[in-house]
Amino acid sequence: MSTPAQLPSTEELRDLAADRLRRCGVGTIGEDAAPEGTGITARTPLTGGVLYRLPAATTEEADAAVTAAEAAFREWRTVPAPRRGALVKRLGELLTEHQDDLADLVTVEAGKIRSEALGEVREMTDMCDFAVGLSRQLYGRTMACERPGHRLAETWHPLGVAGVLTAFNFPVAVWAWNTAVALVCGDPVVWKPSEQTPLTALACDALLARAIADTGAPAALHRLLLGGREIGELLADDPRIALLSATGSVRMGRQVGPRVAARFGRCLLELGGNNAAVVTPSADLDLTVRGIVFSAAGTAGQRCTTLRRLIVHEDIADRLTEKIAHAYGQLRVGNPFDAATLVGPLIGPGAHAAMDKALDAARADGGTVLTGGDRRLADLAPDAVYVRPAVVRMPAQTAIVRAETFAPILYVLTYRTFDEALALHNGVPQGLSSSIFTRDQREAERFLAADGSDCGIANVNIGTSGAEIGGAFGGEKETGGGRESGSDAWRSYMRRATNTVNYSDALPLAQGVTFG
Ligand code: NAD
């Protein structure tokens, strides 16, 4: 669909979205399914144009969705986990069958370049594969019991309805991380996607509804609630939501976390990051540049794991920044459907304003913009925002560097000693992803050690973004502490019971206590 310098029109994108939605099983949506000023507006960041106005869920509809999901829970929790896996297996098949449809929708709605959009959809099918395997591996432990004739073990049971709040920048993968695991764990899902990405959500919901029908599972295992933060607030406050998995900004987490805690609910927070890479003098600079450019400029800097801070040894800083600036000069910014494009649009004018403000603050702090930061294609699409990713050399880690600006800005800082690099690295409130580029094993191991990177993800010789689903994903400090996706992240979706079984004729008490 056109070249980087050309853009499809809003009408073409609406037609494309309508076709892909239909193929995924979503019924026809009128262009104005909700009157102006009500509901939510589906826009495309490619042109900034309106695709659809959609009705938002009412309070009553949200309540009914949770009621239905709770009823489905009572049935689903007794279905053996491997049979629950059959539903997720079918979902994975349908996602594979419709991967191109979904990828097109992700590009239209979130502005990701097509290859990254497809990668996001493949991550969903990977997640389904993982969850199907998991459905036979929800293991509990058996512990040595101190009392004779007793057995001590733990069992894992379905938890309840999982509420899922997702962000615009991973409109489908984060839903799949949560939903595939929740379903095999025995939990129905009530999903409130970002108000900026309702179309991909409708497509996912339709495909899961089909998988549910095909496998004879309870229809209310999945409920989609379109709407703004007020719907998220309802889920945060609803005691029937046993787990609220919330992905988004630190600002959102600060509001949602205490609300869920106030009712003693379980919360899984996946919030903002401010990810850094340390580059030491022994690093392979060509590999480092490739890793940096993908992590910093990929997805137009709109990943939670985007590389935002580069901490470079002073001896190599000039050489490295020169190479990075050169690579940035080759980045094609424009139509994300074009295979030559590497950087698509920002999600909207708000992101652009935040980027401009951050660049001004960096300059005021003595920073020098080495490349990028300027707007492109404004003549073709005045309501869309295409920018060249920026690289800014900073004299110090000032307040603006310590904040997450959700746009493509890479701040470059220098260090002299390794301890200084670690102090800079950990000297931010967020703790999501991190990496070190080095060929010195001692430096790599120190970075991964207890007093090294304080992040939930710490990599060596690869960038901060692009995690695989097999590992647990999440971060520390203001990133919220949640873990999703692989490894043993499933435990957040289940309730643990410790069982002591006495199969003897005696009743010995623990710790040698005698009573009567
Ligand atoms: P956002 O915080 O604006 O919105 C995220 C979701 O939360 C949306 O569905 C929104 O409607 C809802 N929401 C917002 N405020 C709420 C409130 N007070 N109560 C209930 N719900 C509320 O985030 P965004 O702009 O869509 O996404 C970008 C942010 O998400 C960045 O900070 C990014 O780092 C973060 N993110 C984190 C991860 C992760 O896994 N750590 C993944 C993706 C995005």
Side-chain angles (χ1 to χ4, degrees):
M1 198 185 258
S2 28
T3 67
Q6 296 172 326
L7 293 171
S9 67
T10 302
E11 290 67 35
E12 284 176 295
L13 292 166
R14 189 183 299 121
D15 288 347
L16 182 78
D19 178 67
R20 302 306 185 259
L21 286 167
R22 188 183 43 73
R23 284 155 60 144
C24 290
V26 180
T28 309
I29 309 171
E31 271 173 42
D32 285 308
E36 201 163 347
T38 68
I40 55 172
T41 306
R43 286 178 191 279
T44 173
L46 275 68
T47 62
V50 174
L51 298 173
Y52 295 104
R53 292 183 215 284
L54 300 158
T58 61
T59 307
E60 294 71 32
E61 284 164 345
D63 183 68
V66 180
T67 304
E70 213 194 13
F73 172 65
R74 283 192 285 277
E75 192 180 339
W76 193 237
R77 66 182 166 182
T78 61
V79 173
R83 281 188 42 214
R84 299 196 294 248
L87 165 61
V88 176
K89 184 166 182 234
R90 181 69 190 128
L91 173 64
E93 288 165 359
L94 290 171
L95 293 174
T96 304
E97 200 179 300
H98 292 278
Q99 62 176 14
D100 286 315
D101 299 329
L102 288 166
D104 283 345
L105 287 169
V106 169
T107 298
V108 169
E109 202 172 44
K112 286 192 182 188
I113 60 168
R114 191 54 173 61
S115 160
E116 287 192 60
L118 188 58
E120 177 170 353
V121 177
R122 290 202 176 127
E123 195 170 330
M124 300 168 84
T125 54
D126 289 349
M127 202 57 223
C128 289
D129 287 350
F130 180 86
V132 173
L134 195 59
S135 70
R136 291 184 183 271
Q137 299 176 75
L138 301 170
Y139 300 139
R141 292 182 194 158
T142 302
M143 283 73 73
C145 189
E146 66 185 56
R147 284 167 283 183
H150 285 55
R151 184 167 63 79
L152 180 59
E154 61 189 19
T155 42
W156 290 87
H157 301 291
L159 182 69
V161 180
V164 176
L165 306 180
T166 53
F168 81 84
N169 66 321
F170 272 92
V172 293
V174 172
W175 168 75
W177 290 359
N178 281 284
T179 303
V181 173
L183 289 174
V184 298
C185 288
D187 304 339
V189 169
V190 177
W191 181 24
K192 198 216 74 72
S194 165
E195 48 276 56
Q196 303 189 84
T197 53
L199 301 182
T200 44
L202 286 168
C204 290
D205 180 56
L207 291 172
L208 178 49
R210 212 168 116 196
I212 287 172
D214 289 353
T215 54
L221 278 181
H222 191 249
R223 284 288 174 256
L224 173 66
L225 296 174
L226 297 184
R229 55 181 284 179
E230 58 293 342
I231 299 290
E233 286 167 359
L234 289 176
L235 298 181
D237 292 339
D238 193 327
R240 298 170 299 171
I241 300 291
L243 167 71
L244 187 69
S245 173
T247 300
S249 57
V250 171
R251 182 187 43 75
M252 177 275 284
R254 264 190 222 297
Q255 290 160 357
V256 162
R259 291 177 90 126
V260 179
R263 60 172 175 87
F264 298 103
R266 197 184 287 183
C267 208
L268 196 166
L269 295 175
E270 296 282 355
L271 310 176
N274 190 355
N275 317 295
V278 173
V279 187
T280 77
S282 71
D284 172 340
L285 286 197
D286 288 334
L287 177 147
T288 302
V289 170
R290 291 208 306 277
I292 288 169
V293 175
F294 172 69
S295 282
T299 330
Q302 299 173 113
R303 284 194 191 215
C304 51
T305 50
T306 289
L307 177 62
R308 307 199 181 279
R309 299 176 298 134
L310 197 59
I311 301 165
V312 194
H313 192 274
E314 58 184 15
D315 288 353
I316 55 165
D318 289 343
R319 207 149 39 100
L320 183 65
T321 42
E322 213 172 279
K323 280 175 178 283
I324 293 170
H326 177 74
Y328 267 50
Q330 323 281 307
L331 293 172
R332 303 282 296 267
V333 179
N335 176 8
F337 276 110
D338 192 282
T341 299
L342 292 177
V343 180
L346 297 186
I347 191 68
H352 185 220
M355 181 170 181
D356 271 352
K357 203 169 152 202
L359 290 174
D360 285 346
R363 284 191 200 97
D365 289 343
T368 309
V369 179
L370 303 177
T371 182
D374 49 319
R375 195 165 167 195
R376 310 301 304 269
L377 307 177
D379 48 337
L380 281 179
D383 297 328
V385 188
Y386 292 84
V387 289
R388 281 202 309 127
V391 179
V392 187
R393 187 95 177 236
M394 292 299 294
Q397 186 152 268
T398 59
I400 192 64
V401 181
R402 297 176 73 249
E404 180 198 49
T405 300
F406 215 57
I409 305 176
L410 177 64
Y411 299 108
V412 182
L413 301 155
T414 55
Y415 76 91
R416 194 185 293 264
T417 67
F418 197 70
D419 284 341
E420 209 183 308
L422 282 179
L424 279 171
H425 181 277
N426 293 341
V428 295
Q430 314 82 355
L432 181 52
S433 186
S434 62
S435 54
I436 186 167
F437 288 91
T438 183
R439 282 186 288 199
D440 181 328
Q441 193 184 354
R442 286 168 304 180
E443 287 172 342
E445 292 293 345
R446 274 204 64 198
F447 188 73
L448 303 181
D451 56 351
S453 161
D454 62 2
C455 291
I457 297 169
N459 297 331
V460 177
N461 290 328
I462 62 164
T464 51
S465 64
E468 295 179 21
I469 59 101
F473 182 95
E476 303 301 331
K477 304 194 289 186
E478 284 190 359
T479 302
R483 290 296 184 278
E484 281 177 343
S485 148
S487 185
D488 63 354
W490 60 269
R491 291 172 186 229
S492 293
Y493 301 78
M494 299 199 85
R495 132 181 108 74
R496 180 198 319 237
T498 300
N499 311 132
T500 309
V501 179
N502 177 5
Y503 57 89
S504 73
D505 298 328
L507 192 65
L509 299 179
Q511 296 91 39
V513 171
T514 54
F515 193 77

